[in-house]
Each structure stands twice: as structure tokens, then as C-alpha cells.
Amino acid sequence: MKFLFVAPRFHTNQYVVTKSLIGLGHSVAFFAYYMGRTEDHSSVEPDLLAESLLTRWQAGVFKKKYGANLAESKKIKYFIPKFSDLYKKIKAYAPDIVITRETNMTSMYVSLICRILGIKAVIVYNQIPFFSRKKTGFINRIKSAVKKLCFPRVRITTVCTDNPSKFNKNRDQYYIKPHDYFIPFAAEVKETERAYCSGGIIRILSVGKYRDYKNHFLLVDAVSLLKDTRNLRVSIAGQAYNDEEMAYYDKLNGYIRDKGLADIIKLYKNILYSEMDRLYTDHDIFTLTSKKELASIAVLEAMANGMVTISTNANGTASYIEEGICGYVFRTMDPEDLAAKIESLVSRKNDIESMGRAACKNIMEHYSFKNYYIALGELLKKEFKVDLA
């Protein structure tokens, strides 16, 4: 089969999927809006889409009006490709299966072109939760009608719910829309032995761009609340390329010094994706502290490398964690709750290895490429009569 993925960039959450599809003998192409700095293109080299004149004009406006981070987000959100370029690329590749990201102008173009070319197996992927809240009203009916008209009717998501605790309390308020499917993220477990708490030191890792929504300051606050940090070391690794990210990095460094934690918490910048496995296996506990995270693949990568994982509940992959077995979920923006979760592991050091190995098992049993492939195969057979076997 010939797979085509269309997305803003070749995100790390696509690496295992594309590599594994190729390993099974499928052909994979990837069309992207831009290249990320730390991407690994060893399996697939993205083909950049030509920008429309409107996109170029908008990018200039966004750059003048907003800071670097928001300008980047705006450009991605409102990106419009050059229609003729996209048409030629899709026609030349002639894919059997197309997976396009988000309900935006690019996906609208992809859907239209595929209809013209007679390509039927077209799927839109986003990270809107699989379990939707019931919505009523005229505006919502209009939005639904527009989506049916302009975008692929079949949707996949890697997110069951954006807040597990709220979902579990109010399950009757949610439903599953027709033609919506949950296809889990896929992570890769490396068949290597790893040590835990080497030299009696417990090592904590947090990964995320040096941007406000990642909320690294919360982890610093949580560590400052711990009773005993003598045998604790914390690493924060993130992207810091533009001026805003560097300013955030410098502010965070200063905050760590002001808290008297410079000997405990260290910051790292711009580590390549190919080097991340080593970073994960050098640490014991992973934390995600974001104010709001659509779906963090880092949670799965950490578990795949045998780390106990602690995630904010405002994260689309928090539900991937088996609480109390391979990790914990804490209340977002609550440093006391995060500190309590860390403290429980520090006081039960022997549990860190057993929970880390349980995290690995969780990935192998539920979130490997095999799980992704089976779920995708069932969807394709049901919706398009396409057999991957």
C-alpha cells in the first residue's frame, strides 16, 4: 500500500509509525508545511508544500504583530498551500491511503483533490478527544454540516479524553460520533537493559519546549516543596531556538538559582530526537507539567524506556498511564499534588524499578505499532473495504 501523510511537520509522534509501515513493505510519503529543528528523517524525508501567496503575506503580518512563538502557531493554523503544487504532488504519488492532519484549509484541499483523483481512503487526524461532549444548538449544527461537506468523513484521534478525572466522573455526558475512531499513539520499546537509581540517586526528567504552556516552573516549585532532595537530581530538556524561547530558558535558570536548587536542577537545550532514548534511560521518573497539552508523545516515549511517568491531568495522553501501576496523574497547576506524587516514589525507591518495568509492559501490550496497525486495519476494512494484510 502507498500511504500519504499530510501535516504541519514531521512530528516525533510519526516516527515509529512511518518507520514501521516501511518495514512491513508499504510505501510512505510525507507532505509538510515546514521542517522542525530536531526531527529524525532517517525513515522518511518530508516533502515541503509550496506556500500560497496569501500564506506568505499572512506570515509577514504575523511576524510583525506577534512574538516568534505565536507567529509560528498562527502560520501553522492558517497555512494555505499552493493548490496546483499540492495537486501535482498527490497525483504523481497516487496514494492508496491518505491521512491528513486537522480540519484546516490544507485538509480541505487534500479532500477535494482526492475526490477529483478518485482516491477514496482519506482520513482526517486530529487530537480532539474520541469521547465528545454532547453539543446542541444551531451554530454547532452548521459547523457539523460544513465539516461533512469539506473534510473527510472518517476521523481518527490519539486522544480518548483530554481530562481523565473529569471524564470518569461525568461519563454519561459523553458520546462517540459516527465514523470516529481511536487509533493509539505507537511507541517503540528498546530491547536493552537499564539501571534504576544508580548510586542511590533518583533522577527526574521533564521534556518540552521552553515555552510558557509547558510550565516548567511548576516542577521547580514542586521540587522546592520536597522534604529531602539530597538524593534527587532533576533534568529539564527543551527546545530553545528563537528569542522568546531563550528568554524563557534564562528566566527559568534564574528561578532555579533563586530557589537554591541550582545543584539539583539542570537545564538542557536542543537535544536531537535521535539522542532522546539515552536521556530517558539515564533517568528514573518522567514528569509532564504542561498547563494544557493536546497529546504528549513524550509520555509514551518515557514509558517505553522504562520510566515511571507522572503527568498533568490536562493532557490527552494522561489516560495512557495506568495509575499506581506505572505512574500517576496529578492536578494541573498544583505543585503540592505533584510534590506528593514525587515524594511517594522517593519514599518507596524500590517501587521505581517495578513501576518502570510495568510502564514498558503497558506500551508493549497496548501502545506498540502492532496495536496501531491492527486498529488502523480494522478501520480501513470497515470504512473503505481496504485490506492491509
Side-chain angles (χ1 to χ4, degrees):
M1 291 285 180
K2 296 174 75 174
F3 282 82
L4 169 62
F5 293 87
V6 184
R9 70 178 180 91
F10 186 74
H11 196 282
T12 54
N13 60 37
Q14 295 290 317
Y15 176 77
V16 171
V17 167
T18 54
K19 185 185 81 166
S20 301
L21 285 171
I22 292 168
L24 288 177
H26 297 291
S27 174
V28 175
F30 202 103
F31 297 170
Y33 310 172
Y34 73 103
M35 298 280 195
R37 303 258 189 151
T38 59
E39 296 174 3
D40 185 335
H41 301 151
S42 57
S43 60
V44 178
E45 184 70 29
D47 188 352
L48 291 183
L49 296 175
E51 298 178 350
S52 65
L53 290 176
L54 180 58
T55 295
R56 292 180 186 177
W57 174 79
Q58 284 180 156
V61 172
F62 294 151
K63 191 173 182 180
K64 290 178 182 178
K65 189 173 181 180
Y66 305 108
N69 294 340
L70 187 54
E72 177 189 287
S73 298
K74 292 281 187 183
K75 182 180 178 181
I76 293 169
K77 183 177 181 179
Y78 297 108
F79 182 91
I80 303 173
K82 188 176 179 181
F83 186 89
S84 58
D85 174 70
L86 182 59
Y87 181 89
K88 288 175 184 176
K89 280 180 164 64
I90 295 177
K91 185 177 181 180
Y93 182 61
D96 301 300
I97 299 160
V98 178
I99 301 177
T100 184
R101 180 74 192 266
E102 303 299 346
T103 50
N104 54 20
M105 283 298 296
T106 302
S107 289
M108 191 184 295
Y109 280 9
V110 169
S111 184
L112 175 59
I113 290 167
C114 288
R115 287 176 190 174
I116 293 170
L117 295 175
I119 300 167
K120 299 191 184 324
V122 185
I123 301 165
V124 64
Y125 156 55
N126 59 33
Q127 294 173 348
I128 296 171
F130 179 54
F131 291 99
S132 305
R133 278 187 177 275
K134 296 174 182 177
K135 295 180 180 179
T136 58
F138 178 73
I139 297 298
N140 286 313
R141 287 199 297 272
I142 292 295
K143 286 181 179 179
S144 179
V146 170
K147 286 182 180 180
K148 286 180 181 178
L149 180 65
C150 299
F151 300 101
R153 65 185 176 84
V154 177
R155 180 182 79 98
I156 61 174
T157 179
T158 51
V159 178
C160 275
T161 170
D162 57 358
N163 193 313
S165 57
K166 287 183 180 178
F167 173 75
N168 292 332
K169 290 178 183 176
N170 304 288
R171 177 67 180 84
D172 59 335
Q173 297 177 14
Y174 295 82
Y175 76 113
I176 300 170
K177 294 179 182 177
H179 310 294
D180 276 11
Y181 295 84
F182 173 71
I183 308 288
F185 271 139
E188 188 175 32
V189 173
K190 306 295 192 302
E191 297 298 328
T192 55
E193 280 299 316
R194 57 155 297 157
Y196 288 88
C197 307
S198 299
I201 302 296
I202 298 172
R203 296 169 177 84
I204 297 174
L205 173 67
S206 183
V207 175
K209 294 177 181 178
Y210 287 113
R211 297 188 180 184
D212 180 68
Y213 78 96
K214 288 294 185 180
N215 204 21
H216 303 97
F217 291 86
L218 184 78
L219 177 57
V220 179
D221 289 337
V223 172
S224 71
L225 294 172
L226 298 177
K227 298 172 186 174
D228 186 358
T229 57
R230 288 173 299 174
N231 296 324
L232 200 66
R233 298 294 180 270
V234 179
S235 301
I236 300 175
Q239 172 183 299
Y241 284 112
N242 63 45
D243 291 343
E244 282 187 59
E245 290 169 345
M246 280 304 305
Y248 180 100
Y249 172 89
D250 291 338
K251 184 179 178 181
L252 182 60
N253 238 337
Y255 192 70
I256 291 167
R257 289 194 298 270
D258 291 345
K259 289 281 189 177
L261 297 170
D263 292 336
I264 296 169
I265 304 176
K266 303 295 182 186
L267 305 185
Y268 298 87
K269 294 183 292 186
N270 307 327
I271 296 176
L272 296 175
Y273 176 71
S274 57
E275 298 173 5
M276 285 302 299
D277 282 342
R278 176 192 56 77
L279 195 65
Y280 286 128
T281 53
D282 283 347
H283 293 78
D284 309 296
I285 300 169
F286 178 84
T287 62
L288 181 80
T289 56
S290 303
K291 296 175 182 177
K292 182 71 176 176
E293 189 84 29
L294 287 177
S296 169
I297 189 64
V299 165
L300 282 85
E301 291 171 345
M303 288 196 289
N305 283 281
M307 296 184 71
V308 183
T309 302
I310 306 174
S311 168
T312 167
N313 60 7
N315 164 37
T317 48
S319 61
Y320 287 47
I321 299 169
E322 294 180 298
E323 279 209 78
I325 298 174
C326 61
Y328 297 102
V329 176
F330 74 95
R331 295 185 297 274
T332 185
M333 303 296 290
D334 189 339
E336 287 84 6
D337 194 27
L338 175 56
K341 299 295 192 296
I342 295 173
E343 191 77 67
S344 70
L345 290 168
V346 171
S347 63
R348 298 181 289 107
K349 191 187 297 184
N350 293 336
D351 288 350
I352 292 176
E353 179 171 354
S354 61
M355 293 180 74
R357 298 199 183 282
C360 250
K361 185 180 178 184
N362 183 34
I363 295 296
M364 286 189 289
E365 291 183 353
H366 304 292
Y367 307 114
S368 68
F369 173 73
K370 180 181 177 182
N371 300 103
Y372 173 95
Y373 196 66
I374 289 172
L376 182 62
E378 290 174 350
L379 177 160
L380 290 169
K381 194 163 189 176
K382 180 179 179 181
E383 294 284 353
F384 306 109
K385 304 298 186 288
V386 171
D387 194 346
L388 282 181

